[in-house]
């Protein structure tokens, strides 16, 4: 059975992070590992349409990448170094390293989140290596220009190389210093997936469960897992049968995954008992309130606004303020909310323009609302979200 381009792309999405993680452990060189895995996928594009997908696609990619790395080392190394490196790469995988992290992909995240790297570089590099995200995708997640993000990733790789930061399992004592970066990475992987790549959501939830096992007493790890589960529970209702985006207020709540909701709510209750609130726990609590409401009209928006007040006190940001304004619109009206939104510096953030457009629409300021929808459409990368905004804008322009 032959394999088409879509099938190879699916394998890339599912296995790229695992393959790169394994190759980095074997090679100790990030750039060489990335190039070897990319070469292996290039070979797959040439061969699999004729030969079909191998029984173990991940194993084929890793073996082919290792062979490509050996070939390159033989071409570029001295005789002694070439012989030693080739022997090491062709040897069976070593016994699993002892320590608290035994998953290659999770270990890669902790390595990239070494305190010697700037926090934003930690997250960007891990998104690149683990999820195979492109530089433009990562730049969009950070709301920075592509050139800025490219420089950030190059500098992070150079820092790891020049500082001799090892790819190894961190000791228990190292975990607290790296937890913030690791949690941020996992959540950004999840958010990127929620924009259209379900495989990244699955991977982020898997990593979230591993983090909870690794750090059972870390409430923010519990909060992050709860947050992802509660959001993921709504995926079945997020699109219509035709693939159109369905907003939260319009979703058929009978389609929500009640198993994920129950698990997420239980984790939120565990967080509350610890009484050590943090940003992920509060966001999880917000989503727990949404999941409690049998209908959109029954949503306790006052409680959500209070939770965003608490989040603004703990971790203030323009994006949090924007989300708080959405709750204010439901409790105090769109006029009050719009005054809050207009003060935010989020011109490059599509959700800012979408929220502003909706508030203007509710206030009857149709012309301004249409212009705001135009700005949101121009910035939105997700095809379903862009199509939804275009439909709302078109309907508004006709009214």
């Amino acid at each position: 059975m032959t394999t088409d381009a879509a099938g190879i792309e699916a394998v890339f999405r599912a296995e790229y992070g695992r393959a790169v993680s394994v190759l980095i452990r074997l090679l100790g060189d990030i750039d060489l590992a990335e190039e070897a895995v990319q070469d292996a996928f290039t070979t797959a594009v040439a061969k699999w349409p004729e030969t079909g997908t191998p029984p173990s696609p991940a194993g084929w990619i890793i073996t082919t990448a290792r062979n490509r790395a050996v070939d390159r080392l033989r071409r570029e190394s001295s005789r002694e170094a070439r012989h030693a490196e080739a022997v090491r790469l062709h040897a069976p995988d070593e016994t699993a390293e002892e320590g608290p992290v035994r998953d290659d992909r999770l270990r890669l995240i902790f390595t990239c989140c070494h305190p010697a790297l700037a926090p934003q570089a930690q997250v960007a590099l891990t998104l690149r290596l683990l999820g195979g995200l492109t530089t433009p995708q990562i730049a969009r997640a950070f709301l920075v220009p592509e050139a800025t993000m490219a420089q950030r990733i190059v500098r992070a790789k150079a820092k790891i190389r020049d500082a001799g930061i090892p790819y190894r399992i961190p000791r228990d004592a190292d975990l607290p210093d790296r937890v913030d970066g690791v949690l941020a990475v996992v959540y950004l992987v999840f958010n990127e997936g929620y924009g259209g790549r379900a495989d990244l959501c699955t991977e982020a939830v898997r990593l979230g469960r591993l983090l909870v096992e690794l750090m059972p007493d870390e409430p923010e790890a519990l909060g992050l897992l709860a947050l992802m589960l509660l959001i993921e529970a709504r995926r079945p209702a997020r699109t219509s049968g035709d693939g159109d985006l369905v907003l939260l207020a319009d979703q058929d709540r009978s389609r929500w995954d009640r198993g994920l909701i129950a698990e997420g709510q239980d984790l939120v209750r565990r967080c509350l008992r610890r009484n050590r609130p943090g940003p992920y726990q509060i966001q999880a609590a917000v989503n727990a309130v949404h999941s409690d409401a049998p209908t959109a009209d029954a949503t306790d928006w006052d409680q959500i606004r209070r939770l965003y007040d608490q989040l603004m006190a703990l971790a203030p940001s323009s994006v949090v303020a924007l989300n708080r304004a959405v709750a204010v619109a439901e409790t105090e009206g769109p006029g009050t909310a719009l005054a809050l939104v207009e003060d935010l510096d989020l011109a490059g953030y599509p959700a800012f323009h979408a929220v502003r457009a909706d508030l203007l629409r509710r206030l009857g300021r149709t012309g301004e609302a249409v212009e705001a929808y135009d700005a949101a459409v121009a910035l939105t990368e997700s095809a379903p979200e862009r199509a939804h905004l275009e439909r709302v804008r078109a309907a508004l322009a006709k009214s």
Side-chain angles (χ1 to χ4, degrees):
M1 181 178 177
T2 59
T3 304
D4 59 14
I8 297 174
E9 183 180 359
V11 173
F12 179 89
R13 289 182 172 185
E15 304 297 348
Y16 180 86
R18 176 185 172 191
V20 169
S21 300
V22 171
L23 264 292
I24 290 175
R25 172 165 54 83
L26 294 173
L27 300 171
D29 186 310
I30 291 175
D31 286 326
L32 181 56
E34 274 199 288
E35 290 172 11
V37 172
Q38 289 164 1
D39 284 347
F41 274 104
T42 299
T43 303
V45 169
K47 290 188 173 182
W48 290 5
E50 295 182 3
T51 63
T53 305
S56 173
W60 190 97
I61 291 293
I62 291 170
T63 299
T64 302
R66 184 184 341 207
N67 291 339
R68 293 291 185 275
V70 169
D71 291 342
R72 176 173 173 178
L73 288 167
R74 282 173 172 162
R75 290 194 303 269
E76 298 180 359
S77 302
S78 66
R79 183 172 182 178
E80 292 80 6
R82 179 174 67 219
H83 176 73
E85 192 68 13
V87 168
R88 184 173 72 83
L89 287 176
H90 277 305
D93 287 351
E94 65 270 24
T95 302
E97 194 176 351
E98 290 301 316
V101 185
R102 293 178 175 83
D103 179 273
D104 267 325
R105 284 162 287 187
L106 190 60
R107 178 162 47 177
L108 174 60
I109 292 179
F110 274 101
T111 299
C112 290
C113 291
H114 192 281
L117 300 176
Q120 289 185 326
Q122 296 173 4
V123 178
L125 184 59
T126 312
L127 286 171
R128 176 77 190 104
L129 299 177
L130 182 72
L133 302 189
T134 64
T135 300
Q137 288 173 318
I138 302 171
R140 187 172 70 249
F142 278 87
L143 305 179
V144 299
E146 181 179 340
T148 300
M149 184 53 63
Q151 293 174 354
R152 197 172 289 172
I153 292 172
V154 168
R155 285 197 296 266
K157 289 181 180 180
K159 180 73 173 181
I160 289 176
R161 181 187 65 245
D162 297 342
I165 295 172
Y167 178 79
R168 70 181 183 195
I169 295 171
R171 299 169 300 173
D172 289 302
D174 295 330
L175 296 180
D177 289 337
R178 303 196 196 178
V179 67
D180 288 345
V182 169
L183 295 177
V185 151
V186 173
Y187 191 39
L188 279 172
V189 169
F190 180 83
N191 281 333
E192 187 64 35
Y194 207 66
R197 286 187 57 179
D199 60 300
L200 288 182
C201 288
T202 300
E203 176 66 4
V205 170
R206 186 189 74 83
L207 292 169
R209 294 188 189 281
L210 286 173
L211 286 170
V212 169
E213 292 179 13
L214 176 66
M215 299 178 288
D217 296 324
E218 173 51 61
E220 279 291 80
L222 289 172
L224 175 59
L225 179 57
L227 173 60
M228 293 190 296
L229 293 175
L230 291 167
I231 294 174
E232 184 67 8
R234 301 198 294 265
R235 179 183 293 277
R238 194 168 182 254
T239 54
S240 67
D242 296 329
D244 294 336
L245 181 69
V246 181
L247 298 183
L248 176 61
D250 302 319
Q251 289 176 9
D252 178 358
R253 300 186 178 213
S254 69
R255 298 180 62 195
W256 289 0
D257 188 323
R258 292 295 159 183
L260 291 181
I261 288 174
E263 184 181 1
Q265 290 180 334
D266 179 65
L267 290 171
V268 170
R269 287 190 288 269
R270 287 171 60 185
C271 291
L272 290 173
R273 288 194 293 269
R274 280 171 165 76
N275 196 29
R276 290 165 52 198
Y280 294 112
Q281 297 170 73
I282 296 172
Q283 292 176 77
V286 168
N287 281 274
V289 174
H290 282 298
S291 67
D292 272 338
T295 65
D297 290 340
T299 303
D300 188 345
W301 283 105
D302 189 61
Q303 184 179 2
I304 290 175
R305 183 192 56 77
R306 291 197 301 270
L307 286 167
Y308 276 121
D309 288 343
Q310 186 178 12
L311 185 56
M312 281 295 292
L314 279 176
S317 75
S318 295
V319 173
V320 173
L322 180 67
N323 290 327
R324 180 183 178 275
V326 172
V328 169
E330 301 300 325
T331 58
E332 301 179 37
T336 303
L338 182 62
L340 298 174
V341 168
E342 298 286 24
D343 289 336
L344 301 178
D345 183 17
L346 288 171
Y349 188 46
F352 164 76
H353 297 284
V355 169
R356 183 171 176 272
D358 183 64
L359 295 173
L360 289 166
R361 177 191 62 80
R362 291 166 64 179
L363 289 167
R365 295 161 61 177
T366 304
E368 294 172 88
V370 168
E371 292 179 359
Y373 277 120
D374 285 339
V377 167
L379 291 168
T380 299
E381 297 286 341
S382 167
E385 292 179 10
R386 186 169 58 251
H388 168 78
L389 291 168
E390 288 173 342
R391 285 194 300 272
V392 175
R393 181 216 176 277
L396 186 63
K398 291 179 181 178
S399 62

